[in-house]
Amino acid sequence: MAPSPPPAAASDAQYAQQFLNTALSQRGPSALPYAEDVKWLIRNHLVALADAFPSLHPRAALFTHNDGRAAHLLQADGTIPITHAGAVYNLPAVLWLPEPYPRAPPLVFLSPTRDMLIKPHHPLVDRSGLVAGAPYLRSWVFPSSNLLDLARSLSHLFSLDPPLFSRSTPPNPLPAAPSSTSSMHPAPSPRPHSEYASRPYRFPASPQLAARPPSTEDPTEVFRLNAIAKLVDMAYADAAALGAARAAEVVALSAVQAELRGRAESVDGGVRRIAEEMEALERRLQDVTMATDVIEAWVAENRKGAADDLDSETEGAIQPADVLSRQMLDCTAADRALEDAIYALDRGIQEGSVPFDGYLRSVRALAREQFFQRVLRTKVEQQQAQVARMAARAPPQYLS
């Protein structure tokens, strides 16, 4: 654990930066219990606070929780200046940074000296000195909230209603507040009066503990101060609500941005694959075009000879065995052709494309021709049967 800087050098901002760099860079058992991703933000918060409020010094000290756990935590120890009734006062205070800071607000305690008391029933400070009712603490939003704005807010609010006042009796030691009266309350240590105040503490007496003198305050001034306090509270509440809404929008937009980036990468990958596929298809198209040209040239060169050979082969593919077989083939072909012609005329008369009288004349002529062809085919069949019987009765020597 890094040692706390001496009081003589605590006001030096450069020394405070060096102390914070050393304390937050510790590793192992001596490391401070803060998340690594927010240590730089914690350093910036404390440095900015020390620059604006030189009376608040960054330190590292032992903090005891209500459940008995002890941890070394960072704190800003010193005084917060306020202005009340035209005079400047310094309130002794300690700003502890708990383990979840800055995602959780700090713990602010007032540490009055022996000749000071905490104002009873103060709206912002309880009996133990814990500042629990400050609007800035209630509306703490990560990562926009910070220690500097908190100190300025407390200085302004305490200027309107100081939480401490001087004793009217000889100073007596104040009893230590029990740890159960506030959340995460550190054990206060007695401090000499000269460590905090640049001038003697002369806070106004509390109306609850001191006799009221004849009222000399202007009601208009009292109303003005109350109105200012109310407006400040409303402004902090509005700022907190607006900050929370903006933080939610930032989170949503960050998620959308991450999704769009992922989709952009997918689209880029798809475009690259499509471009590669187009190049491959273009090369394949060129190869197919060249092969097509070669095949077309070969077909054009060999088409004429192949057509002539095909015609001759078709004509000589079927050869009748004798004259009767040729005559039978011709009769059968003519009969099938006439049958197809009559069928075509039937389709035409059904569709109305052939006149009825023309249909009758054509069918009569075709049927007549088909009759002659079938009669001729019957006679050829008889002749073939007769030739077959004669061949069957002939001696074997004539058949050879």
Side-chain angles (χ1 to χ4, degrees):
M1 177 57 59
S4 301
S11 61
D12 189 352
Q14 183 177 2
Y15 192 91
Q17 294 181 13
Q18 294 177 358
F19 162 71
L20 291 173
N21 291 338
T22 303
L24 293 173
S25 62
Q26 296 291 330
R27 297 293 183 272
S30 60
L32 293 173
Y34 300 107
E36 291 294 332
D37 59 332
V38 296
K39 284 187 176 181
W40 184 255
L41 184 60
I42 294 174
R43 174 195 175 278
N44 292 340
H45 284 185
L46 288 171
V47 169
L49 180 65
D51 289 341
F53 291 86
S55 58
L56 292 172
H57 316 309
R59 304 172 185 271
L62 186 65
F63 183 88
T64 303
H65 296 267
N66 288 339
D67 57 3
R69 292 183 297 109
H72 279 87
L73 302 178
L74 290 175
Q75 61 172 216
D77 187 11
T79 60
I80 298 177
I82 66 170
T83 302
H84 183 78
V88 178
Y89 303 93
N90 293 288
L91 297 182
V94 181
L95 283 70
W96 286 92
L97 276 58
E99 290 90 338
Y101 183 86
R103 292 181 171 86
L107 300 174
V108 182
F109 294 93
L110 296 182
S111 52
T113 58
R114 293 183 179 182
D115 59 345
M116 303 174 64
L117 290 175
I118 298 175
K119 184 176 179 179
H121 308 294
H122 194 276
L124 303 181
V125 184
D126 63 12
R127 294 174 55 190
S128 66
L130 174 65
V131 181
Y136 196 88
L137 291 174
R138 294 199 307 267
S139 59
W140 185 273
V141 177
F142 174 79
S144 58
S145 301
N146 56 79
L147 297 176
L148 177 57
D149 292 340
L150 172 62
R152 289 173 177 170
S153 172
L154 294 177
S155 176
H156 175 75
L157 295 176
F158 290 160
S159 297
L160 299 177
D161 186 8
L164 301 179
F165 65 96
S166 300
R167 289 175 180 270
S168 57
T169 59
N172 295 319
L174 289 177
S179 61
S180 61
T181 58
S182 63
S183 174
M184 299 177 68
H185 184 273
S189 59
R191 305 178 185 274
H193 180 274
S194 60
E195 181 180 350
Y196 299 106
S198 60
R199 55 182 296 170
Y201 290 100
R202 300 301 301 169
F203 292 99
S206 172
Q208 291 83 354
L209 300 181
R212 288 177 178 266
S215 177
T216 58
E217 294 184 357
D218 186 3
T220 304
E221 182 67 16
V222 174
F223 177 77
R224 186 182 69 84
L225 294 178
N226 292 336
I228 291 175
K230 184 64 175 178
L231 290 175
V232 169
D233 198 356
M234 293 173 61
Y236 276 118
D238 293 343
L242 184 61
R246 294 297 176 268
E249 291 180 1
V250 168
V251 172
L253 292 176
S254 299
V256 172
Q257 184 182 22
E259 183 178 359
L260 290 178
R261 286 179 178 174
R263 293 184 178 182
E265 293 177 357
S266 300
V267 170
D268 293 340
V271 170
R272 287 193 299 269
R273 290 192 296 271
I274 291 175
E276 294 174 356
E277 187 175 354
M278 287 181 62
E279 293 179 358
L281 290 176
E282 289 178 354
R283 291 193 297 268
R284 181 62 178 170
L285 179 60
Q286 293 178 358
D287 297 340
V288 171
T289 303
M290 294 176 60
T292 302
D293 294 340
V294 172
I295 292 174
E296 289 179 351
W298 182 86
V299 169
E301 181 179 354
N302 296 278
R303 178 176 294 171
K304 188 176 184 307
D308 296 341
D309 295 341
L310 181 61
D311 293 340
S312 60
E313 291 178 359
T314 303
E315 293 177 357
I318 300 176
Q319 293 293 334
D322 52 20
V323 176
L324 292 176
S325 298
R326 177 178 292 277
Q327 196 171 8
M328 174 62 73
L329 180 62
D330 294 339
C331 291
T332 303
D335 183 24
R336 296 292 186 270
L338 292 170
E339 187 72 24
D340 293 340
I342 294 173
Y343 177 75
L345 288 173
D346 290 340
R347 293 290 301 276
I349 194 64
Q350 292 177 3
E351 296 174 357
S353 59
V354 177
F356 186 72
D357 55 349
Y359 168 77
L360 292 177
R361 287 193 301 268
S362 299
V363 169
R364 185 182 299 112
L366 293 174
R368 181 183 179 84
E369 181 66 22
Q370 187 180 28
F371 174 76
F372 289 140
Q373 293 294 333
R374 289 182 176 180
V375 170
L376 180 58
R377 186 180 64 182
T378 301
K379 292 182 178 181
V380 172
E381 289 177 351
Q382 293 176 357
Q383 290 293 329
Q384 288 180 337
Q386 184 178 358
V387 171
R389 287 194 299 271
M390 293 175 62
R393 291 196 300 267
Q397 60 271 21
Y398 293 104
L399 294 177
S400 61

